[in-house]
Amino acid sequence: MLRVSVVEGRDKGRVVVATEGVMRLGSAAGNDLMLTDPFVSGRHGEMALVGGRWIYRDLGSTNGSVIERAGKREAVPPGGAGRQVTHGDLLRVGQSVLQLQLLEAPPVEAPDTQVLAYRSRSDVSASVTQAQSMSSVSVGVQPAGEIGVAFDPEAMLDTILEAALNAFPAGTHAIILLVDRKTLQPRRQIARVRGQAGRCREELPISMSIARKVLEEGHSLLFQDVPEEFKDSDSVVAAAITSSICAPLWTGEETVGLIQVESRGRRGRFTEGDLDQLAVFAGRAALAIVGAELADAERKNQLIRDLSDMVTHDLKGPLTSIVGFLELLAAEPLEGRAKQYVEHSLSAARWLLVLVAGILDVARMEGAEVKLAREPLDLAEEIPAALDLINYQVSNKDIEVVVACPPDLPRVPGNREFVRRVIVNLASNAVELAPSGTSLTISAEADPRGECVIVSVQDEGPGIPKDYQERIFDKFFQASTRERTHTKLSVGLGLSFCRMAVEAHGGRIWVESEPGKGSRFRFSLPVAAPEGAA
């Protein structure tokens, strides 16, 4: 048992003993220890007995809490992870000081020390089969009603969490952990707490030991108190989890994450029946999440098609006029900074036209509307010509550009505009991400068998993780994964255009990179045009 005595503050002398394994304190009615201190929040904090240890959590107070032990103070941040407390500790809340004393407790039944039940992935697959037999726009009926596929993934996640709390009255917290579908590494957490409007603004402490077990083994788990195998998990103790049901979000083909409903602070206990319901619920929720993501992806595709139409009618004409007038101005006898400013403006405007054309060409390539007009190209001439388009960008970053092409480089049959644009896109990306004062090397060499010419763009930037090296050529991937510190106008289509343009020439494009050691993008162009290429 735990006895809490108020030793300083308005309520000095008040004593409360916790006999049920949990004690809540605050200024609002309904707390086990109600304080009149004006600096104490209504639901300030709670102490819960978890695995034989008392854990104090600040429930999101205005002023926070402090634990004092042997003259040392440790802050407990509002709404953060819990801290273990013990006999003799002082707890400061507002202007009040509470002294904690551990009393000898009467004998009680030993807590469960094992996972009480689990369900294999086949149980979840059975629910998926049921759900797939229903309408493709309705995920079906679950214990608390219906979940329909929302075309907004964020709204779908909120709906699932709310439905989970409604379905399992013993739960105080509902959490969805989304993972990378290839590596099963966590990528995002969304959570809701019973009694609070909307989702949690910050991530909740969860047990990654439990999460890994569920994700890797494909089991749904039920446990009460703290199972022996998880007693060393600081996150379980900090979260004061007393009972939990957890199931993988399994679509029948892949795992997209997990859903966990928890009872924190001995609100209630889950049963094996709850675990079975959650397994069915999780299968249908997984389909809902995937369906919403697909709908959102289609919406983004429609958005880019609409953007292409807008660009065609509203941007290309004015940009062409701007470039024309800047070219006339550049032909005037300007000197000093005026001449430099005009040259940079002209270079930037030309690059903007390249971006606009790139958006249009991606849409046309996907619709098989592009036919390449080819001519013999000397890459020793095309590379410097392409770099002229980004002179302003290179000079602003103080990047040294090195071009290396042998004199006997064979010509390649290709479309001059498309080849230059591929070089510009790769070089511009390299300049954008590389630190100032580094170098950029662009080289071209003949394949040893004489079948193609290989162009390389080598930078000294941050590099690209191995998991991303295939995906960076997908549409929109760049916009969703790269840091938003860059300033270049981008809609995530540059590398996608490069791949389609190179493949339209019968070549291929790839990247060689290691984080922290820069990247080298390479693409090949056949010396002889392949038959039927278009």
Side-chain angles (χ1 to χ4, degrees), residues 146-444:
E146 293 188 0
I147 297 179
V149 173
F151 290 100
D152 180 359
E154 297 303 312
M156 168 55 61
L157 294 170
D158 286 335
T159 299
I160 292 171
L161 290 172
E162 183 178 6
L165 287 175
N166 291 337
F168 304 102
T172 60
H173 297 68
I175 301 169
I176 291 175
L177 185 68
L178 299 178
V179 300
D180 183 280
R181 299 178 192 182
K182 293 182 179 179
T183 65
L184 296 184
Q185 292 301 308
R187 61 181 178 89
R188 189 183 177 200
Q189 181 202 108
I190 308 95
R192 292 192 68 164
V193 178
R194 187 180 298 279
Q196 294 184 4
R199 66 175 64 172
C200 295
R201 288 176 293 181
E202 298 180 355
E203 288 193 356
L204 296 177
I206 66 170
S207 170
M208 290 311 300
S209 303
I210 297 174
R212 281 192 293 269
K213 189 176 185 69
V214 171
L215 293 170
E216 294 173 3
E217 299 180 12
H219 293 160
S220 302
L221 294 180
L222 158 68
F223 72 79
Q224 293 174 3
D225 297 304
V226 181
E228 192 68 35
E229 61 184 298
F230 300 133
K231 277 193 172 181
D232 292 332
S233 172
D234 292 337
S235 52
V236 172
V237 175
I241 301 172
T242 56
S243 188
S244 173
I245 47 177
C246 185
L249 294 170
W250 170 251
T251 66
E253 297 180 353
E254 60 183 356
T255 298
V256 299
L258 62 82
I259 182 168
Q260 186 163 343
V261 184
E262 302 172 343
S263 175
R264 299 189 178 191
R266 291 185 179 273
R267 174 186 173 88
R269 297 294 184 101
F270 296 105
T271 66
E272 290 196 45
D274 292 332
L275 185 66
D276 292 334
Q277 287 184 327
L278 185 66
V280 175
F281 183 86
R284 296 173 179 175
L287 289 177
I289 292 171
V290 172
E293 289 178 345
L294 290 174
D296 190 55
E298 175 56 31
R299 185 172 60 181
K300 289 180 179 178
N301 284 335
Q302 183 59 50
L303 177 64
I304 199 62
R305 288 193 289 268
D306 294 342
L307 177 63
S308 297
D309 292 339
M310 183 272 290
V311 167
T312 301
H313 296 98
D314 298 338
L315 289 183
K316 194 170 184 180
L319 275 173
T320 302
S321 297
I322 291 172
V323 170
F325 283 116
L326 284 173
E327 288 175 342
L328 291 175
L329 189 58
E332 296 293 325
L334 302 175
E335 296 181 358
R337 290 186 177 180
K339 181 177 180 63
Q340 182 182 8
Y341 292 159
V342 170
E343 289 176 349
H344 283 189
S345 298
L346 179 58
S347 181
R350 286 171 174 167
W351 172 233
L352 190 55
L353 267 179
V354 169
L355 285 177
V356 169
I359 295 172
L360 295 173
D361 287 333
V362 165
R364 289 165 56 201
M365 283 182 172
E366 289 184 322
E369 299 175 5
V370 173
K371 293 184 179 180
L372 296 182
R374 302 173 189 268
E375 58 183 301
L377 300 179
D378 183 352
L379 292 177
E381 297 177 357
E382 300 303 326
I383 291 175
L387 293 177
D388 286 342
L389 293 173
I390 58 170
N391 272 337
Y392 76 99
Q393 188 182 6
V394 173
S395 59
N396 287 341
K397 286 291 292 284
D398 187 26
I399 299 288
E400 179 187 5
V401 178
V402 178
V403 178
C405 296
D408 57 345
L409 196 65
R411 292 176 177 263
V412 296
N415 181 280
R416 173 172 279 109
E417 179 185 355
F418 277 33
V419 170
R420 284 188 182 181
R421 200 178 303 162
V422 170
I423 298 169
V424 166
N425 282 347
L426 297 179
S428 178
N429 286 345
V431 171
E432 177 191 358
L433 294 176
S436 294
T438 59
S439 63
L440 169 67
T441 302
I442 304 178
S443 61

